[in-house]
Amino acid sequence: MPTDDLPEAFHVTTDEQLRAVSNLTRHRIMAVLRFEPATITQIAERVGLAKGSSSYHVRLLERAGLVKVVRTRKVRGVTERYYAMAARAIVLPDPGEGGPDVLMRHVVADLEASAVDGRQVRMAHLRLTEEQFAELGARLDALADEYRELSDPSLPDVSLAFALFRPAQRAQAEGDAE
């Protein structure tokens, strides 16, 4: 199923939707469906779940509107459903100051579960003007979009995550200044 047919973004706005995307297993199921439709059996195999668990999580995602059935076929008298993402991207609400960032928690869990030889991780501390900060954010977005367009579903999955942010200002303790 070409992703051209999908809406660009699905905005998570309800508590049910937020609960659905907040679960790491469901996050991983959505990653399986990112490029092509899959059946419950295929999802279960790719995520490493029992079919019953896979079915449960997919039903919750479907009920929340995050995934949908895109085709069905009869196999030995049973209707097999193929699920796909409801949009090309899922947009989460801002967690608010001090709130948990669901996406970054999932990114860290996926990173920790990945093979060490299959990672490239870098952190850079920068000092930027507001204009430079905005320009860097736009360039990172454009680079991610460029490579998303080059993605080939027949190739192995690669995840790209970046966070450009200004760290919270922490008050120095009285003795720290010395």
Side-chain angles (χ1 to χ4, degrees):
M1 177 181 120
T3 56
D4 297 342
D5 299 349
L6 295 175
E8 184 62 31
F10 180 97
H11 292 266
V12 171
T13 57
T14 70
D15 288 343
E16 178 185 27
Q17 293 165 345
L18 190 56
R19 278 191 303 276
V21 298
S22 294
N23 179 278
L24 182 58
T25 298
R26 292 190 283 273
H27 161 78
R28 290 180 174 159
I29 288 170
M30 289 188 296
V32 167
L33 301 175
R34 166 181 19 196
F35 293 113
E36 61 190 349
T39 65
I40 294 295
T41 301
Q42 292 167 334
I43 293 167
E45 289 170 359
R46 292 178 191 161
V47 178
L49 291 173
K51 283 183 4 181
S53 293
S54 180
S55 178
Y56 167 78
H57 288 290
V58 169
R59 276 195 320 271
L60 288 175
L61 289 167
E62 184 181 21
R63 195 175 316 134
L66 297 159
V67 302
K68 62 183 180 178
V69 175
V70 293
R71 77 175 179 263
T72 60
R73 71 178 189 146
K74 288 279 189 188
V75 179
R76 292 184 292 278
V78 175
T79 301
E80 192 173 57
R81 291 176 182 85
Y82 284 80
Y83 295 88
M85 293 299 298
R88 291 178 62 151
I90 304 296
V91 179
L92 299 174
D94 187 332
E97 193 169 325
D101 189 314
V102 171
L103 179 61
M104 290 311 293
R105 286 182 177 185
H106 291 335
V107 166
V108 169
D110 285 346
L111 177 64
E112 289 172 343
S114 70
V116 174
D117 63 349
R119 319 177 180 172
Q120 293 185 18
V121 178
R122 177 163 186 232
M123 182 170 186
H125 297 280
L126 311 170
R127 292 191 175 196
L128 304 174
T129 66
E130 287 297 325
E131 293 79 20
Q132 291 169 325
F133 182 87
E135 178 188 349
L136 180 55
R139 288 176 63 188
L140 289 169
D141 283 340
L143 188 61
D145 290 343
E146 176 185 337
Y147 276 85
R148 184 174 64 180
E149 292 301 319
L150 297 174
S151 290
D152 179 345
S154 67
L155 297 174
D157 280 356
V158 173
S159 292
L160 170 67
F162 57 85
L164 179 64
F165 61 95
R166 295 192 182 280
Q169 298 297 315
R170 294 189 173 33
Q172 283 188 329
E174 277 188 27
D176 289 350
E178 294 175 21

